[in-house]
Amino acid sequence: MSRSPDLPRAARETASRPAVLDLIGNTPLVRVTRLDTGCCTLFLKLESQNPGGSIKDRIGVAMIEAAERDGRLQPGGTVVEATAGNTGLGLALVARAKGYKVVLVVPDKMATEKVLHLKALGATVHVTRSDVVKGHPEYYQDLAARIAAGIPGSFFADQFNNPANPLAHETATGPEIWAQTGHDLDAIVVGVGSSGTLTGLSRYFRKVQPALEFVLADPVGSILADYVKTGHVGQAGSWAVEGIGEDFVPAIADFGSVKSAYSIPDAESFGAARELLAREGIPGGSSTGTLLAAALRWCREQTTPKRVLTLVCDTGTRYLSKVYNDQWLIDQGLLARPRLGDLRDLISRRFEDGGVVAIAPEDTLLVAFQRMRLAEVSQLPVLADGRLVGVLDESDLLVAAQAGPQALQRPVRNAMTAAPQTLPASASIAELRAVLDRGLVAIVADEAGFHGLVTRFDLLNHLRRQLLASTAAA
């Protein structure tokens, strides 16, 4: 078999470029048809369709290839970054495809799916505190900078100060949007994390459509919406939305084209993301919900038709444990459920709501163990025909398992605590605490039937919600 002639160097480099990188960008544009957009037409650019699942794939490849060109990143080097998750995923996708090591620092409020995805891509992940501000030793950006300084041959991507970040949007995202909208667009709704998207798009549209208006979508708790309105940097609060909102003004931020700014509460952001999936069939993350909520507000305020665009920043599939998890939203106070005025309000998983994870007396202890592990609980109510007949906890399982592996094939009824002590729904918090202080789980049941279990964590969460409510009222 004859050998193919050697390719020129440029052709060899193109041939060896990881194919997945050519899938970044050129994401589709869709029109919103089933949500109330007032007199406006609203388009969504589906950045969730990038191979890494978010808009941050664009800056991942841009920052790494810029560092390769100027020699900051050499073969065998390590890419280090502070990230809310998506930039890390973009960097990990590109870096691992090119053969680099990746070390990432993420705040502890990040969705589990993001962290698992990062680890699956081979990244080393350091989780740090999300309740501290810039200057604190555990603040994620400061920690990442220290880690990078301690790794020989590392490249600190530093998206918050890296000019390749906005340049990616100025040279690629902006032209795509302009072409896809037929050179006819009046406003773009964006959020700000590092501010690369806003800054890059602003620079591009000043050249091709100077009259285009930018609208800032910001979580309540972030300082940026107030900064746009007043020019002053206020005191940051906290927010559950991931990826956008800041407690400082990013160095690369360009707010010159922003004409309107909305502060969106977490509950509205999460609700908008869920409505987008339910009504339009498009799964988006929590930041997408913030952008959509702001876009809908702006559109409904207009009195003349406008063509408006916002972004589906990332895929909702990496938020299944949060945005699309009713239980998590209820625990966070972001999804309302009927208040009953008694201990049932403390129950995380109510029986009458179909939320109880239970076991039957004839099920095996192995089934009980698997159910506990899947639901991440340490005890299960034992129900027969909807009636509470016992409770099984992990200590019961451990005692049974010590008799040998085959013991886990025994039925639950042989290991459960039968006729457990219960509290009526009308019991006081003091009575509840008396049970919990004895190391027990409170079983709420009365003549109306079994209602659910209350753990010490449930009581703590109840007290936390009360504190948040009183703080908000003040």
Side-chain angles (χ1 to χ4, degrees), residues 219-220 239-241 264-275 286 289-290 293 297 323 328-329 332-336:
V220 168
W239 57 95
V241 167
I264 306 296
D266 282 332
E268 186 177 350
S269 295
F270 283 81
R274 289 162 67 97
E275 187 176 16
S286 53
T290 307
R297 285 197 199 183
V323 178
W328 184 86
L329 293 175
Q332 299 300 314
L334 297 171
L335 184 63

Side-chain angles (χ1 to χ4, degrees), residues 334-402:
L334 297 171
L335 184 63
R337 65 178 181 177
R339 303 286 296 175
L340 303 172
D342 54 35
L343 289 187
R344 288 174 291 177
D345 291 336
L346 279 71
I347 297 172
S348 176
R349 295 178 171 91
R350 292 179 184 168
F351 180 71
E352 45 262 53
D353 295 339
V356 167
V357 179
I359 198 78
E362 64 272 14
D363 288 328
T364 67
L365 294 175
L366 181 60
V367 169
F369 168 72
Q370 292 170 335
R371 199 162 294 176
M372 282 184 187
R373 184 172 60 177
L374 182 64
E376 297 183 338
V377 297
S378 58
Q379 62 283 311
L380 293 171
V382 183
L383 303 179
D385 299 323
R387 295 179 300 104
L388 179 72
V389 296
V391 65
L392 182 79
D393 66 27
E394 56 193 4
S395 63
D396 299 322
L397 281 174
L398 183 59
V399 169
Q402 288 174 343

Side-chain angles (χ1 to χ4, degrees), residues 13-310:
E13 289 176 350
T14 301
S16 64
R17 175 183 168 87
V20 70
L21 303 188
D22 294 327
L23 301 177
I24 296 173
N26 295 309
T27 53
L29 194 74
V30 298
R31 178 182 173 181
V32 170
T33 59
R34 301 188 64 196
L35 298 174
D36 177 13
T37 60
C39 62
C40 296
T41 300
L42 178 60
F43 299 98
L44 303 175
K45 187 157 175 61
L46 303 185
E47 290 299 296
S48 54
Q49 299 304 300
N50 281 303
S54 86
I55 192 171
K56 298 297 188 177
D57 286 6
R58 295 178 182 269
I59 69 171
V61 69
M63 292 190 298
I64 284 177
E65 293 189 345
E68 289 174 329
R69 287 191 297 270
D70 63 25
R72 287 175 295 160
L73 183 57
Q74 299 286 338
T78 301
V79 177
V80 182
E81 180 59 325
T83 173
N86 284 327
T87 299
L89 286 163
L91 286 168
L93 173 74
V94 177
R96 296 297 291 172
K98 287 172 168 281
Y100 302 113
K101 297 182 285 293
V102 182
V103 178
L104 302 168
V105 180
V106 303
D108 57 15
K109 74 174 184 178
M110 294 305 102
T112 300
E113 292 90 339
K114 286 184 184 177
V115 176
L116 292 175
H117 194 168
L118 289 169
K119 291 180 177 179
L121 285 168
T124 299
V125 180
H126 298 271
V127 179
T128 190
R129 292 170 61 177
S130 59
D131 63 336
V132 293
V133 298
K134 197 171 182 63
H136 190 283
E138 293 187 62
Y139 186 67
Y140 74 127
Q141 293 174 44
D142 298 340
L143 178 56
R146 292 201 308 276
I147 289 174
I151 300 176
S154 68
F155 160 60
F156 181 32
D158 194 12
Q159 61 178 310
F160 290 87
N161 297 286
N162 193 322
N165 178 355
L167 186 62
H169 300 294
E170 181 180 1
T171 59
T173 317
E176 285 177 32
I177 289 172
W178 194 227
Q180 288 173 316
T181 55
H183 297 183
D184 185 9
L185 191 62
D186 298 297
I188 298 178
V189 182
V190 295
V192 165
S194 66
S195 80
T197 305
L198 170 63
T199 299
L201 293 181
S202 295
R203 290 173 181 171
Y204 175 76
F205 280 99
R206 283 196 193 110
K207 294 180 286 188
V208 299
Q209 169 57 306
L212 186 137
E213 179 173 342
F214 280 85
V215 178
L216 175 64
D218 203 34
V220 168
S222 168
I223 66 161
L224 298 177
D226 282 342
Y227 175 75
V228 167
K229 295 173 183 177
T230 68
H232 299 294
V233 177
Q235 185 68 35
S238 62
W239 57 95
V241 167
E242 299 179 31
I244 59 172
E246 286 299 346
D247 52 13
F248 68 101
V249 179
I252 60 174
D254 180 352
F255 292 102
S257 296
V258 176
K259 305 304 180 186
S260 306
Y262 295 88
S263 293
I264 306 296
D266 282 332
E268 186 177 350
S269 295
F270 283 81
R274 289 162 67 97
E275 187 176 16
L276 178 64
L277 178 58
R279 300 291 300 279
E280 301 284 350
I282 299 172
S286 53
S287 61
T288 296
T290 307
L291 270 61
L292 177 62
L296 292 175
R297 285 197 199 183
W298 192 89
C299 286
R300 293 165 186 169
E301 291 171 2
Q302 304 310 301
T303 56
T304 57
K306 300 287 179 62
R307 287 167 61 85
V308 186
L309 177 140
T310 193

